[in-house]
Amino acid sequence: MDKSSINSVYRILAKKIGEPKTELNYRNPYTFLVSVVLSAQATDKSVNNATKDLFKVVKTPKDMVALGERKLKGYIKTIGLYNSKAKNVINLSKILIKDHKSKIPSDFNDLTNLPGVGNKTASVYQNEILDIPRIAVDTHVYRVSNRVGLAKTKTADQTQEILEQITPKKWLKTAHHLLILHGRYTCKSQKPMCDQCVITKHCLYLKNEKN
Ligand code: SF4
């Protein structure tokens, strides 16, 4: 896809979606990181439902360690994979206390060294909290990018690399949200709603369907 079309894709999506924001609720950088860890293979809505009560009692790594794994599971048991997520959240909280004075590190490698924090979570954190323009690639971003023709890759990490190279500077900060929201509500996994899509003119998937 040429530069002008790439720019158009983001411009048109931004016009439709407006100023995109994370749909996860949080109180501070720590609770945001916990929410993102909990959101792996789960909906933001299910995470918000669980953290509504959890974040009334937990606001810091020390609060989380004091709560303990068993009680944490009680708060998050409606979220998929809650057993392993609870273990990760307790362990990452212990590491934050021990190695980072209870603060969240800003370095990408330090972030991905925390239990449960992979490239996607670290990128989402850097983008949302540190204002570092990263394009975290979840299932929606991966699907939309490869359908539209922004990327042609086999893995999420490759897609992130390509997107961060080709996305105009102006859209680097919001690209992740624009592509997620487009994937979540229009370019759905099973049945993309092409008849309601605003970027049909630029979509490779649609062009191939017609041929
Ligand atoms: S035209 Fe269809 S496949 Fe292409 S981006 Fe829009 S919804 Fe997705």
Side-chain angles (χ1 to χ4, degrees):
M1 191 180 284
D2 62 48
K3 265 189 180 175
S4 144
S5 301
I6 295 168
N7 195 50
S8 287
V9 165
Y10 288 119
R11 186 177 41 75
I12 297 167
L13 289 178
K15 195 171 170 209
K16 183 187 173 203
I17 294 167
E19 191 66 32
K21 282 196 208 112
T22 176
E23 293 187 329
L24 286 171
N25 297 332
Y26 64 98
R27 293 172 180 242
N28 57 30
Y30 171 69
T31 53
F32 181 68
L33 185 66
V34 170
S35 288
V36 183
V37 170
L38 295 178
S39 73
Q41 296 176 54
T43 63
D44 288 356
K45 201 173 162 203
S46 70
V47 174
N48 289 338
N49 277 339
T51 56
K52 186 165 45 80
D53 290 330
L54 174 66
F55 293 160
K56 282 180 190 157
V57 290
V58 170
K59 295 178 184 63
T60 67
K62 278 186 187 156
D63 294 340
M64 190 65 86
V65 173
L67 181 74
E69 192 174 320
R70 190 180 56 80
K71 283 190 184 163
L72 172 58
K73 284 181 185 172
Y75 283 100
I76 65 168
K77 62 176 186 253
T78 50
I79 305 175
L81 308 175
Y82 73 95
N83 277 315
S84 57
K85 286 176 183 175
K87 200 177 278 303
N88 282 336
V89 167
I90 293 294
N91 285 336
L92 82 79
S93 302
K94 285 179 180 167
I95 292 173
L96 290 176
I97 295 167
K98 185 169 152 280
D99 297 341
H100 302 283
K101 299 181 178 156
S102 291
K103 301 268 182 266
I104 317 291
S106 53
D107 179 79
F108 193 79
N109 290 331
D110 286 342
L111 279 167
T112 53
N113 278 337
L114 296 169
V117 179
N119 284 1
K120 190 201 84 178
T121 300
S123 299
V124 169
Y125 180 85
Q126 287 195 321
N127 196 57
E128 176 76 16
I129 302 294
L130 305 177
D131 239 11
I132 297 172
R134 302 300 312 263
I135 306 181
V137 175
D138 71 349
T139 175
H140 299 298
V141 177
Y142 177 77
R143 183 178 67 255
V144 170
S145 307
N146 282 277
R147 268 185 185 162
V148 176
L150 290 167
K152 192 167 184 283
T153 61
K154 294 222 178 332
T155 68
D157 288 349
Q158 287 169 354
T159 301
Q160 177 166 3
E161 208 180 312
I162 299 285
L163 288 179
E164 289 182 352
Q165 278 168 18
I166 63 158
T167 299
K169 212 169 166 194
K170 180 180 177 196
W171 302 113
L172 270 175
K173 176 85 168 85
T174 47
H176 158 79
H177 291 302
L178 294 173
L179 296 172
I180 279 194
L181 294 172
H182 185 61
R184 194 174 281 165
Y185 299 112
T186 306
C187 191
K188 297 181 178 183
S189 168
Q190 299 301 325
K191 266 197 170 182
M193 296 155 69
C194 303
D195 55 335
Q196 295 175 34
C197 179
V198 288
I199 53 171
T200 49
K201 193 176 133 194
H202 300 291
C203 181
L204 195 66
Y205 174 90
L206 203 62
K207 270 184 204 145
N208 291 339
E209 285 276 291
K210 283 180 179 167
N211 290 332

